[in-house]
Every structure is written in C-alpha cells, then in structure tokens.
Amino acid sequence: MPAPLLHIETTPALPEKADVVVIGGGIVGTFTAYYLARRGLKVALLEKGRIGAEQSSRNWGWCRQQNRDARELPMATKSLALWEDFSKESGEDTGFSRCGLLYLSNNDTELAGWARWGEFARGVGVTTHMLDQKQASEFGSATGRRWKGGVFSPTDGTADPSRAAPVVARAIMALGSSVHQMCAARGLETESGHVSAVVTEKGTIRTRMVVMAGGAWASSFCRQLGIRFPQASIRSSILSVAPGARGLPAALHTAAVSATRRGDGGYTLAISGRARVDPTLQQFRFARHFVPMFAKRWRSLAAGGFEGVKGGHETLSRWRLDRPTPMERNRILDPRPDRKQIELTLERAQALLPALANIPVSAAWAGYIDSTPDGVPAIGEIRALPGLVLAAGFSGHGFGIGPGAGHLVADLVTAAKPIVDPKPYHPDRLNGSSWGEVAEF
C-alpha cells in the first residue's frame, strides 16, 4: 500500500489571472499560498498530481527544533508556533501535537554531540533536556533496555503527514483563493525580463509573481528557464504498522530505528538517514557540488537502480510548453520501496520495542528527498528572473519547518518584515560560497 493520504476536492476552473501563482502542492507550497491568501492576495496553487502526495505525506511527521542546524533553528522555532496558530485560525486539524521527542543512545560520541548542541540551543532559548543513564532508561522503558543517556525535547512534536498539506489547501480555498490538482505548470512567460504568466496544461494564468515549490522537480523546472539550481534526490523507504501497540513513546529516535505515533494510533518506522541513491543525469551534472555531503554521509547511503530515471524528475531534457511534460507523464512520484530496508526496519523495530512484535504492517512506501549541497533549503527570489521565488531543496526537513518556510516566502513576496533572517537560505549561496558547509543534523 502507498503512503496514506487525505484526498480533497479542489477548484475546477483555472483563473485567468492571479496576484501570485504557487507551483507545487506539498507542505511548503500550501503554507506559502495560505499565508499569501491571509494577506488578501488572490493566489492560484498548482499541483500536477494530488495535494501532498509526494514527500509531504511520506515523511515521519516530526516538527522539531532538537538537533537542527543553526541556520534552520530559527525557522524551526517559529514553525512550532505557526503549526499551533494554523489550527486556531483555520479550524482545520493537521494532527499537530507538542508530544515531545525522545532520543536514546549508548554511543558516547553521539551523546557528546547532542550535549554540545544542547548547550548551543539553550543559549538561544530552546528547551532541551539531556538525560542521564537512569532517566534515559526510565524514558525508554518500552524498550526494556538500559541506555547510557539521551535527550528529551518537550516542546517539539509531530503532525500528521497524511492530512497536513490537504487541510492547509482547504484553508486556502476558504480564504477565497484557488487550488488546482491534476494541473501541471509547464513553464513561464516573461515580458521585459520579468515573469508575466504561468503556462499550465489547462491554460495560461497571467501573473507577475511565481513561487516554485516543486520539491524534487524544482531543478529540472528551473533548467527550462536557464536557471542552474544544484539539487539531488535520494530514495528513502519507510513503513507503518497498524494500531494496537501500547505504552510506546509518541516519537522515539535511536541509531537502529525510529518510531512515530500516527494519527490513527499506528506507528511509522524508519532508519534515520538510510537511503538509496538512484543515479540520474542531473545527479552527474551536479556531482561535484555534493562531494562534501556524500563524504559526510556515505555510510548511510547505498547505490540504487533506475527508479530515478523512470521518475523523470531529474531529467536534463528540455520540453515544449504546448506538449505534455514529464510532470504529466508521472503525476505522482511513487518509487518502489527498498524491500530489504523495509524488512530490516521492521526487524529492528520489533527487537527494540517488544510491543510491536505482533502488530501487522499496514503500508510500506518510498519517497524522494530533494537535497541541496549543504542540506539547507533554497529560499529567495532568483536574481536572473525577477518575479520568480524559489522554495525547494528542503533536504528531508521541509515538513516540520513548512509553516515557517511558507511564512518567509509570503514575507518576501509582499516585502513584509521577514519572520526570520532570509540570508542563510538565499539560492545565491549555492554558486560556490557554501561549498562544504554541510548541515550537521
């Protein structure tokens, strides 16, 4: 079974014009459109497939400050408050809860790294508690093991990936803007060097401002415009088990396996960082940019197969605006899960958490995590094409910081005071100045 997803009905008719067009109906694109619509702008949100159907519904659902890279931490902190505010403002339920995140370890080096991060975090007002051996073993009593130590971050939490993006999309429509599923954006038109329209498979929308939040498809879309955006995707495989396990933490991370309670009472199970690299021409094109990241994380990555080529999201081909594009040939990236990794994940989870021993698997799936060379998102207006704002390359962190990212993009579009300093995210840094500055977490 694929990743669970709430399906919603969206706007049938395409508008002739919009103040802003947002391309991509994942968590970042939906929150961007939501915050723009709240400011009174007429927004058209375009999604080539279903809202939230790619990585935004295929992740763990963690909304964390804990162990964030210093560049992302301010956005993570703001996002936690925005997750709460959204439900109050819209009346929609994303499943967000500050349930606390628990990290357990028997590795001294890992514990020392968490402690260093904790010292930094407390200096900027983040609540995080280092756990000694007794505390960690008590917090991790569901494992039946003794632990050297750990971390508990009580103000962090989770949201429900199966419903978050779709309910944000419903809130956009309630504000008077439009959401369009099964409607691929093929490209842009320009006048005097500025964005003037978006060409879709169903017609053209006149606009002076476009946000590209297309996830794993962003680089190939930018290529059509002569914009170089170094991006590479890895295939991550995870599974969920049915409800029935009792006494488990809401969200637990260990080096062996991680478990997250789902909205239906079941659990998502995954091995942190473990993924396959499916080679594509785009990856070869940007290979030198990703050398530092690969050097840091190669132990967690394994060679993949032809899933990336079949997906079409990292093509180097050019397409015409009057013909079907790769996005229309593959509406939803749904790569084949790594069966060996799924089996290993379940084996480790059942060994770590005995309560899972007799709980059946309910689904297993894979998704493409789009990354930048430094593991930090690219957010900002493209200087070579005024009117185009990029919001992509979230490197596996996009779900939790989706509200903050969407708010920041809305700030940039409307020239409002940014919710966080936008400088660390601007795409210009990827031209070379950030080479090797790979995010720690």
Side-chain angles (χ1 to χ4, degrees):
M1 290 180 62
L5 178 65
L6 173 68
H7 290 280
I8 62 169
E9 295 299 319
T10 52
T11 315
L14 206 65
E16 293 183 3
K17 61 181 180 179
D19 296 322
V20 187
V21 175
V22 179
I23 301 172
I27 199 68
V28 174
T30 53
F31 267 117
T32 295
Y34 171 73
Y35 288 117
L36 288 167
R38 274 185 60 82
R39 299 177 194 197
L41 277 68
K42 291 296 181 182
V43 185
L45 174 64
L46 306 178
E47 169 52 50
K48 61 182 174 47
R50 292 288 180 187
I51 295 293
E54 294 191 341
Q55 192 56 25
S56 291
S57 61
R58 297 166 187 253
N59 59 84
W60 301 8
W62 283 33
C63 306
R64 64 179 173 89
Q65 299 167 102
Q66 181 66 37
N67 290 343
R68 285 284 187 197
D69 184 88
R71 290 164 288 186
E72 281 188 355
L73 183 57
M75 185 178 288
T77 300
K78 295 290 187 181
S79 292
L80 287 167
L82 292 172
W83 277 108
E84 291 178 320
D85 291 344
F86 171 77
S87 294
K88 298 173 186 175
E89 295 164 354
S90 67
E92 296 281 4
D93 179 17
T94 63
F96 176 75
S97 170
R98 290 190 188 248
C99 58
L101 307 181
L102 175 62
Y103 297 67
L104 298 173
S105 181
N106 284 319
N107 183 289
D108 291 330
T109 301
E110 188 171 41
L111 290 168
W114 293 347
R116 287 193 301 272
W117 187 90
E119 291 176 4
F120 151 72
R122 284 188 290 273
V124 293
V126 175
T127 302
T128 180
H129 302 303
M130 287 299 299
L131 306 177
D132 61 22
Q133 184 174 354
K134 180 181 178 182
Q135 293 169 323
S137 299
E138 289 175 352
F139 271 84
S141 59
T143 68
R145 304 181 184 184
R146 295 195 63 80
W147 297 91
K148 282 189 176 182
V151 177
F152 184 63
S153 52
T155 59
D156 288 355
T158 63
D160 187 347
S162 71
R163 60 181 294 111
V167 301
V168 177
R170 283 202 307 224
I172 295 165
M173 291 184 286
L175 290 169
S177 284
S178 61
V179 179
H180 308 275
Q181 297 181 115
M182 310 304 287
C183 182
R186 292 177 172 175
L188 307 183
E189 292 181 351
T190 62
E191 291 179 1
S192 302
H194 195 287
V195 168
S196 61
V198 177
V199 179
T200 83
E201 63 179 294
K202 296 181 179 180
T204 298
I205 306 174
R206 309 302 300 180
T207 186
R208 296 283 290 173
M209 185 63 66
V210 173
V211 177
M212 163 41 59
W217 298 85
S219 184
S220 61
F221 188 93
C222 287
R223 179 174 169 78
Q224 311 308 307
L225 306 169
I227 297 165
R228 196 170 189 272
F229 172 39
Q231 182 184 39
S233 298
I234 56 174
R235 175 165 48 102
S236 175
S237 300
I238 63 180
L239 70 141
S240 64
V241 295
R246 300 286 183 263
L248 305 186
L252 169 65
H253 166 78
T254 72
V257 69
S258 298
T260 311
R261 186 181 299 142
R262 298 184 64 85
D264 64 0
Y267 277 80
T268 295
L269 307 175
I271 300 175
S272 180
R274 186 70 67 91
R276 293 270 179 188
V277 180
D278 296 326
T280 64
L281 291 177
Q282 181 174 294
Q283 289 192 4
F284 289 123
R285 181 191 185 205
F286 295 128
R288 69 177 185 86
H289 293 269
F290 285 87
V291 169
M293 179 176 284
F294 183 78
K296 179 172 278 192
R297 300 178 180 172
W298 66 272
R299 290 179 180 86
S300 299
L301 302 176
F306 295 104
E307 291 293 311
V309 174
K310 289 188 290 185
H313 58 293
E314 293 188 346
T315 179
L316 293 185
S317 65
R318 307 277 185 171
W319 57 73
R320 291 174 52 175
L321 303 188
D322 60 349
R323 299 281 180 85
T325 67
M327 289 91 72
E328 292 149 81
R329 289 190 286 271
N330 190 5
R331 296 282 179 182
I332 297 171
L333 280 177
D334 187 26
R336 177 176 52 86
D338 182 344
R339 184 52 53 186
K340 289 184 178 179
Q341 184 174 328
I342 294 296
E343 293 172 354
L344 177 62
T345 302
L346 183 61
E347 177 185 324
R348 288 185 178 186
Q350 292 175 334
L352 179 71
L353 300 165
L356 295 176
N358 297 313
I359 305 297
V361 173
S362 56
W365 62 86
Y368 278 113
I369 298 174
D370 59 304
S371 300
T372 59
D374 58 6
V376 175
I379 304 173
E381 187 170 22
I382 301 298
R383 300 189 196 282
L385 182 53
L388 175 62
V389 175
L390 181 64
F394 281 79
S395 307
H397 309 156
F399 185 79
I401 63 175
H407 199 296
L408 175 59
V409 174
D411 295 338
L412 297 176
V413 169
T414 60
K417 181 180 179 181
I419 191 172
V420 296
D421 180 7
K423 186 176 180 180
Y425 308 106
H426 200 282
D428 282 357
R429 74 180 193 282
L430 300 175
N431 294 332
S433 61
S434 67
W435 197 89
E437 297 176 9
V438 181
E440 287 297 323
F441 299 98

